[in-house]
Amino acid sequence: MPAILVVAEIRDGTPTASTRELLGLAGSLGVTVIAVVFTPSADAVAGVKAHGAERVYWYEREEEDYDGELWVAVTEQVARDTAAAAILASHTAAGADLAPRLAFRLQSAVATGCTGIVSEEGKLLFTRACYGGNVRETLSFPALPAVATVKAGVGVPKAEAARAGEVIRVTPPEFARRTRVVAREREAADSQALEDAKIIVAGGRGLEGPEGFRVLEGLAEVLGAAVGSSRVPCDLGWCPHSWQIGLTGKTVTPELYFAIGISGAAHHMAGCGNARTIVAINTDPEAAIFKGAHYGIVGDYRKVVPALVAALKEPDKS
Amino acid sequence: MHLVVCVKQVPNPEAAFSMLTVDEHAKKVIPAGGLQLVMSPFDEQAVEAALRVRESIGEAKITVVSVGPDSARNVLKHALAMGADEALLIADEALEDAASEATALVLSRAIRNLGTVDLVLTGRQAADWDAGIVGCGIAELLGLPVVTFARKVEVTGPRARVERVLADGFETIEADLPAVVTISNELGAARKPTLRETMRAARKPLTVKSASELGLMPAEIGRFSARRVRERLYVPVRSGRCEIIPGADEAAQALELARRLRSARLV
């Protein structure tokens, strides 16, 4: 029976949210789900099993962090040994690096940044965004195995009681090491919070300067929200690059997303379009963001946001 | 030191999307006649990265390579005007709308034919298909190490030192040369060509070759292209049901929005 191999990412001993989604998505395709995991933690392996992997290929290693040469070599070995029909990874700094490299090694092809994968009459179809998020293409791969990366928020995690899955230890493959990670700097915890946040307050070019983010932080504080940005403020240095949401930044799927001074270009919507509810605040009533939003206020954020902070601080009268 | 930058010509990604037509039947995106074709922005930043490497080490030759139609000469000329030394265009009817896998094959062959190459740079993804495959493909086909999503590239001795962008920070990776590095927007803005450089660029060599002149047979390219099938190409529909919150002033609008968010149990 063909299997789908999921490349799991582990953070602090737990499968990441996108890994859990990926396992759920793979499980929905009606095939055996197997996974490859790089972790020192048996609990992390159990977590991957619990979320749907019937067999886990465990490469035991102190570091959870991505190491391209090692991960590609190990995943290639597992993919060949298992004759996997497809290999799926999250569309992250790790997955988006691993997947294309793996596809070439396996003499196959890759669909990056998928927004959907379905199985039609036994054929896997991969849909992805292109042209800055304006267009979708659906691909199939005659040359097995198919390789793909999947955006956050696409799959639905499926936590089951601890499955009686099998764990197979992976023997280290041989490869010539030509790259070495010599340093890693992570920003404060708040940036990781963006992907997990239930509410996000994001600002764009319309903030007209870094001080705009102070206004947004006021709203974020009342809501317990994380703060994000479209690409322009990051490139202009108004906020850290790790705040960037969009095609080349983070993909977020909060319950509530405030797009403030954001025009709503497709490349931004590619990162936030799956938020359950989008609130747009923009001075331009013609801005594209109002096409993608659920609620809109046409106005100057400098007035609207403080008024909203005041309104939210008032006790709920409903 | 020989640096090679791979660049692609794309429809101007800053232009309104209405300038593009999606032909669902032919499964092609067709740019309007007046739409400007430009160098993909990440590739422009890859040229910038190469220029910065040259500036820091003092001397290096920079060759820019593109796979594309004859009009792609313009993006190569742009790279020459930015400061690159030589340009190579692989123009071939067989490569029209080539899959990323086939493009990587052609570029890897072109790079191999250039002789000694120390560092290959390219954008993290092209602004049209947003795939991010070609850089990694070149590395795999040439058997070179690759570092993706770079925000900074330095060369010290036999190694490249690259800062790679992560979701919550960055890591520094040392790669043995020759290597491939793909550039992300965090690198910073690419320089604009000066008039003097643009004039000088007109005298720099720009070679055009076909795939067969690289020793590539159509069947070989075909095998790479056939690895993927585009089943559908379409424009997704947006819900377009935005409720504009009424209110006499900001305070009233804000109160109304707060009320709706509360009743939807969103806050």
Side-chain angles (χ1 to χ4, degrees):
Chain A
M1 185 170 180
I4 288 187
L5 173 62
V6 168
V7 182
E9 289 185 50
I10 307 295
R11 197 71 186 267
D12 302 327
T14 324
T16 59
S18 57
T19 296
R20 299 195 297 268
E21 292 168 3
L22 203 52
L23 288 163
L25 176 68
S28 74
L29 297 170
V31 291
T32 308
V33 180
I34 59 176
V36 57
V37 185
F38 302 79
T39 177
S41 156
D43 287 349
V45 174
V48 171
K49 270 197 295 183
H51 282 90
E54 289 181 31
R55 247 181 303 143
V56 178
Y57 291 81
W58 182 11
Y59 188 91
E60 191 173 350
R61 150 174 213 266
E62 207 41 55
E63 269 213 82
E64 296 169 342
D65 288 309
Y66 180 67
D67 171 349
E69 286 179 311
L70 174 73
W71 282 44
V72 172
V74 168
T75 309
E76 180 192 2
Q77 181 177 296
V78 173
R80 287 187 190 280
D81 288 352
T82 59
I87 300 116
L88 307 183
S90 301
H91 193 70
T92 54
D97 181 274
L98 176 136
R101 296 165 70 175
L102 186 66
F104 278 88
R105 291 212 190 165
L106 297 170
Q107 294 176 346
S108 184
V110 57
T112 50
C114 290
T115 55
I117 302 176
V118 293
S119 174
E120 257 180 38
E121 293 161 12
K123 182 155 87 172
L124 289 175
L125 296 175
F126 301 82
T127 297
R128 59 180 300 277
C130 48
Y131 280 86
N134 283 302
V135 182
R136 298 283 181 280
E137 63 170 341
T138 301
L139 302 170
S140 69
F141 299 102
L144 291 178
V147 184
T149 64
V150 181
K151 293 274 211 179
V154 174
V156 180
K158 191 172 55 171
E160 295 172 22
R163 281 165 167 265
E166 199 185 343
V167 176
I168 296 160
R169 298 288 186 135
V170 179
T171 48
E174 280 185 26
F175 65 92
R177 179 162 285 289
R178 292 172 300 179
T179 63
R180 287 153 295 269
V181 177
V182 294
R184 195 175 277 126
E185 269 182 49
R186 297 199 186 277
E187 286 165 15
D190 62 293
S191 61
Q192 178 61 30
L194 205 49
E195 275 119 325
D196 300 329
K198 291 271 175 273
I199 305 178
I200 292 173
V201 179
R205 191 198 295 263
L207 296 187
E208 293 176 338
E211 59 287 348
F213 282 100
R214 305 294 88 76
V215 180
L216 268 50
E217 278 161 357
L219 177 59
E221 197 182 340
V222 208
L223 294 168
V227 180
S229 168
S230 65
R231 184 173 146 183
V232 171
C234 297
D235 281 352
L236 293 175
W238 297 353
C239 68
H241 272 293
S242 58
W243 290 14
Q244 187 187 324
I245 293 164
L247 195 65
T248 55
K250 292 184 165 70
T251 302
V252 295
T253 52
E255 301 283 313
L256 179 57
Y257 188 86
F258 287 87
I260 302 174
I262 290 177
S263 66
H267 58 77
H268 180 71
M269 301 312 287
C272 70
N274 282 336
R276 177 167 304 171
T277 303
I278 298 177
V279 176
I281 299 172
N282 204 300
T283 49
D284 176 8
E286 299 299 321
I289 189 70
F290 290 118
K291 292 197 182 76
H294 304 85
Y295 299 109
I297 291 183
V298 179
D300 183 349
Y301 81 92
R302 292 181 189 84
K303 290 179 184 159
V304 176
V305 172
L308 187 57
V309 170
L312 289 166
K313 276 184 180 164
E314 273 185 35
D316 190 355
K317 283 177 235 151
S318 59
Chain B
M1 170 110 358
H2 188 188
L3 314 176
V4 173
V5 189
C6 303
V7 301
K8 183 179 187 182
Q9 184 186 46
V10 299
N12 186 355
E14 299 295 324
F17 179 61
S18 56
M19 297 289 282
L20 297 172
T21 311
V22 175
D23 184 334
E24 296 193 10
H25 183 71
K27 290 174 256 182
K28 282 183 179 179
V29 176
I30 300 154
L35 180 54
Q36 195 192 7
L37 299 170
V38 300
M39 190 190 295
S40 181
F42 299 119
D43 295 345
E44 210 175 359
Q45 287 172 302
V47 176
E48 174 65 31
L51 295 168
R52 290 182 193 175
V53 167
R54 184 172 68 188
E55 280 155 9
S56 78
I57 61 175
E59 205 173 328
K61 176 175 151 186
I62 300 174
T63 304
V64 278
V65 185
S66 188
V67 174
D70 201 57
S71 62
R73 284 169 186 268
N74 291 332
V75 300
L76 291 171
K77 283 180 188 161
H78 177 71
L80 293 174
M82 284 175 73
D85 301 299
E86 287 183 19
L88 171 63
L89 174 63
I90 317 299
D92 205 309
E93 275 179 17
L95 299 172
E96 199 192 330
D97 282 322
S100 305
E101 287 77 14
T103 305
L105 170 71
V106 175
L107 286 171
S108 66
R109 195 62 62 88
I111 291 164
R112 188 176 287 161
N113 288 3
L114 286 174
T116 307
V117 171
D118 300 287
L119 184 61
V120 179
L121 298 166
T122 189
R124 57 175 287 165
Q125 65 201 55
D128 49 2
W129 293 103
D130 290 320
I133 297 172
V134 169
C136 290
I138 293 168
E140 290 298 330
L141 293 169
L142 291 175
L144 300 180
V146 57
V147 182
T148 51
F149 315 133
R151 65 170 207 182
K152 190 176 183 187
V153 186
E154 291 171 321
V155 170
T156 41
R159 274 187 278 280
R161 195 178 166 88
V162 183
E163 287 182 8
R164 179 175 187 269
V165 176
L166 303 173
D168 56 352
F170 70 94
E171 59 190 6
T172 306
I173 296 182
E174 284 186 354
D176 298 343
L177 296 179
V180 179
V181 177
T182 79
I183 303 298
S184 193
N185 53 290
E186 287 85 352
L187 182 104
R191 69 196 62 187
K192 300 272 173 266
T194 61
L195 184 62
R196 198 175 131 258
E197 284 291 331
T198 307
M199 309 263 283
R200 247 164 55 88
R203 292 193 299 276
K204 293 177 181 173
L206 193 164
T207 314
V208 184
K209 282 188 179 170
S210 66
S212 62
E213 284 176 277
L214 298 174
L216 276 169
M217 295 299 120
E220 199 173 348
I221 298 167
R223 273 200 300 279
F224 273 72
S225 293
R227 289 181 183 179
R228 65 168 62 218
V229 176
R230 185 173 295 138
E231 306 271 357
R232 268 190 84 194
L233 187 72
Y234 61 99
V235 179
V237 269
R238 280 198 196 176
S239 69
R241 290 220 327 262
C242 181
E243 252 185 276
I244 298 294
I245 305 295
D249 57 10
E250 287 85 4
Q253 288 171 321
L255 275 172
E256 179 58 19
L257 176 62
R259 192 188 67 75
R260 291 189 195 209
L261 294 178
R262 276 176 176 145
S263 68
R265 299 192 180 283
L266 285 162
V267 294

